Amino acid sequence: MLPARVTRFYGVLAAAILLIVPPASGASSDSNPATGDAIVVGSIGDASRLLPILATDSASGDIVGLLFNGLLKYNERLEVVGDLAESWSVSEEGLTLTFTLRPNVRWHDGVPVTAADVRFTYEQLIDPAVRTPFSSGYELIESLEVLDARTVRIRYREPFAPALESWMMGLIPQHLLEGQDLNTTPLLRKPVGHGPYRFVRWNTGELIELRANPDYFEHRPHIDRYLYRVIPDPATLFLELLTLGVDSTSLTPLQYARQARHPRIERAYHTFRYPSFGFTYVGYNLQDERFKDVRVRRAFGQAIDTQAMLDGVLYGLGSRATGPYPKESWAYDPSVAPAPYDPKAATALLAQAGWEDRDGDGWLDHDGQPFRFTLLTNQGNEVRRQVAELVQQYLKAVGIDVRIKVIEWSTFVHEFIDKRRFEAVLLGWNLSRDPDLYDLFHSSKTKEGEYNFGGYANPEVDRLLEAGRREFNRDARRRIYQDAHRRLAEDQPYTFLFVSDALPILSARFRNVVATPIGIGYNFIDWYVPREQQRYRALMQP
Amino acid sequence: MMTYVVRRLVGTLPVLFLITLISFGIMHLAPGKPTDAAMSFNPKVSLEARQRMEALYGLDQPLMVQYRRWLGRMARWEFGRSFLDDRPVGEKIAERLPVTLTINLASLALILCIAIPLGVVAAVRPGGVFDRLTTVLVFIGYSMPSFWLALLCLVGFGVVLRWLPVSGLHSLDYESFGLLRRGLDAAWHLLLPVLIAAFTGLAGLSRYMRSSMVEVLRQDYIRTARAKGLSERRVLFHHGLRNGLLPIITLLGLSLPDLIGGAVIAETIFSIPGMGRLFYDAVMARDYPVVMALVTIGALLTLVGNLLADVAYAYADPRIRVGAEPR
């Protein structure tokens, strides 16, 4: 469900919009920040594999993001910029990418990072014996040439703009991994990277410790140590916040709305709030005659009071979705207005589509059949269960009988979604920063196991999604995806409900924490703690 | 005696085989695949990539082939590698075992130290004030949800009083401590988990001890002992306790597999990476090799525990030993 691993470090530390920040913690003009101290991050889950191309869970992604860099990264304005690549270019027709590496980057063991490492990383990604799920992003590559120690040229079979995001994949060291079985190499547990932090130790299920890399090519991070504590129980995690046992974690909406208002927490922490890249939706099986009619889908959009849903279920910690993009995305079209909550208009639309209560039993009917369907959702997601119940209530008010079925995740995916045995589903998508939606809405992606499971097919949208993949120019891409956004809002293959907020909390002693559209974690190496406020100073023996 | 043990050992093999076969079947009947968590419903992971991963883990093979492969590896005492992180299963278990064993042994020792005297004294006057008081007390412990008690203790001792750490196994700078300080640090962190496990587990043993002692104290030889003019202490602890302990020995034998089984909920609340979480996470992730290894070891220990209990019983009670000895 998670997008490219590059975005994951921000899962814990990021914030795109800083809502509640006392002035003291804002950007500091301190030109000589103090080094030292440690940050203790609390996480529900432990990491599993600490190599970028094999790190599939979010905890591994958090750690790997500090140990390894990619050729490219997103800057604070969500633009693609060079990371390990000092410069890079896209050829005229979009078929060739050329990267030139920075000259001064070294692996943590002192060996320089070279173009050969890029090739090695690519070879491992496409090696069928390597257990990486990320191979799909590299299938369109025709060849990858090492021109010299610092330059690689990559040719594509067709122009593929999302490829840029795929080069945010962390590079892995050829000199340490060559000839090894990548699936079982000891480096999975003891990684050697080139990023701002170096690996120190990993006590399984307990703690991962990283230490600042003094030779990092940008500059040495000011925070000396990064400690990742595994605390599986949210209640315990909260007690650790109360005793200052962790400096940073992400909160649930309930914790944010209620517990984080505890005076002890308000004194010692700052909370952040920013939209996640993803949305919750009701998806329809468009093979179903009833949902084929766009009037029915639009009526549903008007019959559901999304704002009340947000306030009730997420304590208002989210925003209404008008389409697949959050407001922070450059592909978001601000001209698309959310459908107003208007049950009367919904009833009228349904009547136009032939759905009226002719027999007076309180339920709409058509050809003698009452409007009754089952809304499926997956087990273990309390928010979705509550949202499903609200959808049921709102649709009942316009005369539609909704049955809710909550199903265990694997069964849900394999037996119902993959086999198209559903009428409507309540689900969510987490998306990457790149606005490509080919897999979700292109009419070719309807095979079993693919993600246009509703069977949406609109030739115009198909054309836009294809064009968006071939276009590298951001302004041109913006126009394409904004167009797609408008058309999806019109067609409503999904009823787009809301974008929930990510809710990180961070100890107030950290300075230089800047709010940007991509979050707060992007400049983590610039954070510091004034000497007199450092908590872990006494423990800092090298 | 030896032949008896050997015969019993041989008898356990088919049972063990059946246990593994059934567990393997149930595990694979459960919906979902190990590759689901990381790969399904991720638009960045193509269908082909998913199918390739399944083939790499051998999940595309028929169930019987998978079981045969697993059995073949087991015959060489190889548990295979975890699907979750590709580490050898043995290594993963070895990493978790010490802390779980420590907690379980410590709480078991504590339970024995408290439950035996408690049961004996309560049995002296069944229905007396002490008996009733301890009954109420141990059943409070027995019926109290341990997660609730654990959270209350965390809030009380960890947050309000700040006497004990809230969670975890070690202090952050454990590695830099000397040996003595390391020991103290570990004890400090394990105090609450052990105390809570002991408190909630007290009921069983102390009740067994009590009823067995009540039974024993009614016997003729106890009256004889008293008639001989022995002190009450000697009657209780020398003549009474030795006989009263027999059911406890059986119970201890049967609890052998519990020693390596961790309590998932307690481990989760205290953030202790023990066997309970290993098993729970493996089941949730459909990490078949880890699940099968733990099930097999658990089954093996149960069978061995039964055997040990019988042997110990025979040792403690000459009548059984004589009866079992084939002539």
Side-chain angles (χ1 to χ4, degrees), chain A residues 1-4 8 40 44 46 48-49 56 125-137 139 162 165 183-184 188-189 201 203-207 209 225 227 229-233 235-236 239-240 242-243 245 264 281 408-414 417-418 427-432 434 436 439-440 447-451 453 536 539 541, chain B residues 30-33 35-54 56-58 81-88 91-92 95-96 150-156 158-160 162 164-177 181 189 264-274 277-278 281 284 286:
Chain A
M1 259 173 300
L2 282 158
R8 289 208 185 110
V40 183
I44 302 265
D46 194 13
S48 56
R49 301 178 176 97
T56 49
L125 276 163
I126 56 162
D127 183 345
V130 173
R131 290 170 192 158
T132 175
F134 301 116
S135 56
S136 335
E139 279 158 2
E165 193 173 62
N183 300 317
T184 57
L188 288 168
R189 298 279 304 173
R201 66 185 163 122
N203 299 350
T204 315
E206 205 189 333
L207 180 80
E209 179 175 348
R225 290 197 299 172
L227 296 154
R229 281 188 66 188
V230 182
I231 301 167
D233 185 57
T236 310
L239 296 180
E240 285 284 5
L242 281 177
T243 54
R264 211 188 275 180
Y281 63 91
E408 189 272 333
W409 177 249
S410 303
T411 317
F412 179 65
V413 173
H414 298 299
I417 299 279
D418 285 355
L427 273 176
W429 281 118
N430 285 327
L431 300 173
S432 60
D434 190 83
D436 177 32
D439 289 293
L440 267 53
K447 274 188 290 194
E448 178 168 340
E450 292 185 327
Y451 298 117
F453 46 79
Y536 298 94
L539 308 167
Q541 290 103 17
Chain B
K33 295 183 197 134
T35 45
D36 277 352
M39 307 193 61
S40 73
F41 256 68
N42 181 346
K44 296 274 166 197
V45 178
S46 71
L47 188 60
E48 294 74 26
R50 242 177 307 150
Q51 285 162 348
R52 217 180 55 214
M53 285 280 269
E54 277 161 25
L56 283 176
Y57 284 112
R81 283 176 180 271
S82 161
F83 290 163
L84 267 186
D85 53 11
D86 287 304
R87 296 173 65 206
E91 194 180 306
K92 290 186 79 156
E95 190 175 74
R96 307 279 187 133
L151 278 175
L152 279 191
C153 289
L154 280 188
V155 172
V159 179
V160 178
R162 302 278 182 113
L164 295 168
V166 172
S167 69
L169 206 49
H170 306 294
S171 296
L172 287 177
D173 279 279
Y174 180 78
E175 310 269 301
S176 64
F177 293 170
R181 215 172 138 202
H189 279 85
V264 182
I265 295 173
E267 286 180 9
T268 305
I269 289 176
F270 292 109
S271 309
I272 293 170
R277 282 208 63 82
L278 181 67
D281 291 341
M284 294 320 271
R286 309 284 187 272

Side-chain angles (χ1 to χ4, degrees), chain B residues 3-175:
Chain B
T3 24
Y4 169 68
V5 173
V6 170
R7 215 172 50 217
R8 285 289 309 271
L9 263 179
V10 172
T12 57
L13 279 178
V15 180
L16 190 64
F17 173 76
L18 273 178
I19 290 174
T20 63
L21 184 64
I22 293 170
S23 325
F24 195 87
I26 291 177
M27 198 58 220
H28 281 78
L29 278 179
K33 295 183 197 134
T35 45
D36 277 352
M39 307 193 61
S40 73
F41 256 68
N42 181 346
K44 296 274 166 197
V45 178
S46 71
L47 188 60
E48 294 74 26
R50 242 177 307 150
Q51 285 162 348
R52 217 180 55 214
M53 285 280 269
E54 277 161 25
L56 283 176
Y57 284 112
L59 296 167
D60 53 342
Q61 301 290 320
L63 210 53
M64 278 327 286
V65 176
Q66 290 188 44
Y67 181 69
R68 219 166 42 227
R69 284 184 185 171
W70 178 82
L71 209 60
R73 281 202 308 271
M74 270 320 283
R76 282 169 276 133
W77 201 243
E78 277 173 29
F79 294 116
R81 283 176 180 271
S82 161
F83 290 163
L84 267 186
D85 53 11
D86 287 304
R87 296 173 65 206
V89 174
E91 194 180 306
K92 290 186 79 156
I93 294 177
E95 190 175 74
R96 307 279 187 133
L97 201 53
V99 59
T100 298
L101 268 181
T102 310
I103 294 177
N104 288 342
L105 282 174
S107 59
L108 185 67
L110 204 61
I111 288 175
L112 286 176
C113 289
I114 300 170
I116 292 176
L118 218 60
V120 171
V121 177
V124 175
R125 248 179 228 92
V129 177
F130 183 82
D131 184 26
R132 289 190 192 180
L133 208 70
T134 52
T135 306
V136 170
L137 201 72
V138 296
F139 275 100
I140 286 178
Y142 183 67
S143 48
M144 187 176 294
S146 61
F147 73 91
W148 183 71
L149 182 65
L151 278 175
L152 279 191
C153 289
L154 280 188
V155 172
F157 298 111
V159 179
V160 178
L161 296 171
R162 302 278 182 113
W163 291 348
L164 295 168
V166 172
S167 69
L169 206 49
H170 306 294
S171 296
L172 287 177
D173 279 279
Y174 180 78
E175 310 269 301

Side-chain angles (χ1 to χ4, degrees), chain A residues 504-523:
Chain A
I505 186 167
L506 176 68
S507 167
R509 70 179 194 278
F510 294 96
R511 300 297 158 82
N512 236 348
V513 182
V514 188
T516 70
I518 200 167
I520 54 173
Y522 85 99
N523 72 335

Side-chain angles (χ1 to χ4, degrees), chain A residues 390-537:
Chain A
L390 286 174
V391 169
Q392 184 181 39
Q393 288 299 315
Y394 286 123
L395 291 182
K396 188 180 173 189
V398 295
I400 294 165
D401 187 8
V402 182
R403 311 278 163 91
I404 297 172
K405 215 159 144 187
V406 182
I407 302 163
E408 189 272 333
W409 177 249
S410 303
T411 317
F412 179 65
V413 173
H414 298 299
E415 298 302 318
F416 292 89
I417 299 279
D418 285 355
K419 300 204 161 64
R420 308 285 179 269
R421 291 206 305 236
F422 67 95
E423 294 167 295
V425 290
L426 180 74
L427 273 176
W429 281 118
N430 285 327
L431 300 173
S432 60
R433 264 65 176 174
D434 190 83
D436 177 32
L437 291 172
Y438 193 88
D439 289 293
L440 267 53
F441 295 114
H442 194 275
S443 61
S444 68
K445 288 290 179 182
T446 52
K447 274 188 290 194
E448 178 168 340
E450 292 185 327
Y451 298 117
N452 185 1
F453 46 79
Y456 177 64
N458 177 338
E460 263 313 295
V461 172
D462 279 359
R463 191 187 57 75
L464 287 168
L465 295 179
E466 288 159 22
R469 285 194 147 186
R470 303 175 75 90
E471 181 59 65
F472 280 84
N473 179 294
R474 175 135 150 198
D475 289 321
R477 277 193 101 197
R478 185 205 311 271
R479 284 192 294 277
I480 291 169
Y481 284 114
Q482 288 189 337
D483 197 1
H485 178 178
R486 281 193 299 275
R487 283 168 200 275
L488 287 168
E490 253 166 53
D491 281 352
Q492 298 206 12
Y494 294 167
T495 295
F496 297 98
L497 295 174
F498 53 78
V499 175
S500 50
D501 288 340
L503 305 165
I505 186 167
L506 176 68
S507 167
R509 70 179 194 278
F510 294 96
R511 300 297 158 82
N512 236 348
V513 182
V514 188
T516 70
I518 200 167
I520 54 173
Y522 85 99
N523 72 335
F524 180 58
I525 61 168
D526 295 323
W527 294 10
Y528 71 96
V529 180
R531 207 158 282 285
E532 65 282 1
Q533 288 182 33
Q534 294 190 354
R535 282 200 62 184
Y536 298 94
R537 184 165 35 170

